[in-house]
């Protein structure tokens, strides 16, 4: 699994449409800034997060599987 896919599947993976003035050091996917909202990292790095760090992240927590809609 590559870093972007792992970030997409992680409980702490977040996106925001608010883009920084200098997008050079940020990761933008589909026009949105992606970042990690882990409570240990967020207060320190805020939006300054590169999803390439997700590849070997030791605090990865998978999202719960989507439940099928009941009919």
């Amino acid at each position: 699994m590559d870093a972007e896919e792992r970030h997409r599947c992680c409980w702490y993976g977040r996106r925001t449409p608010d883009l920084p003035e200098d997008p050079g050091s940020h990761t933008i996917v589909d026009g949105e800034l992606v970042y990690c909202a882990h409570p240990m990292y967020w207060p320190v790095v805020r939006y300054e997060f590169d999803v390439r760090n997700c590849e070997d992240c030791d605090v990865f927590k998978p999202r719960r599987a989507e439940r099928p809609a009941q009919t």
Side-chain angles (χ1 to χ4, degrees), residues 11-23:
W11 178 265
Y12 304 111
R14 301 288 189 274
R15 293 173 169 244
T16 181
D18 299 327
L19 300 179
E21 288 185 29
D22 177 20

Side-chain angles (χ1 to χ4, degrees), residues 7-44:
H7 183 267
R8 194 175 354 247
C9 296
C10 185
W11 178 265
Y12 304 111
R14 301 288 189 274
R15 293 173 169 244
T16 181
D18 299 327
L19 300 179
E21 288 185 29
D22 177 20
S25 63
H26 299 81
T27 303
I28 298 172
V29 177
D30 299 329
E32 294 184 312
L33 176 71
V34 294
Y35 64 96
C36 179
H38 189 277
M40 294 290 286
Y41 296 153
W42 173 252
V44 177

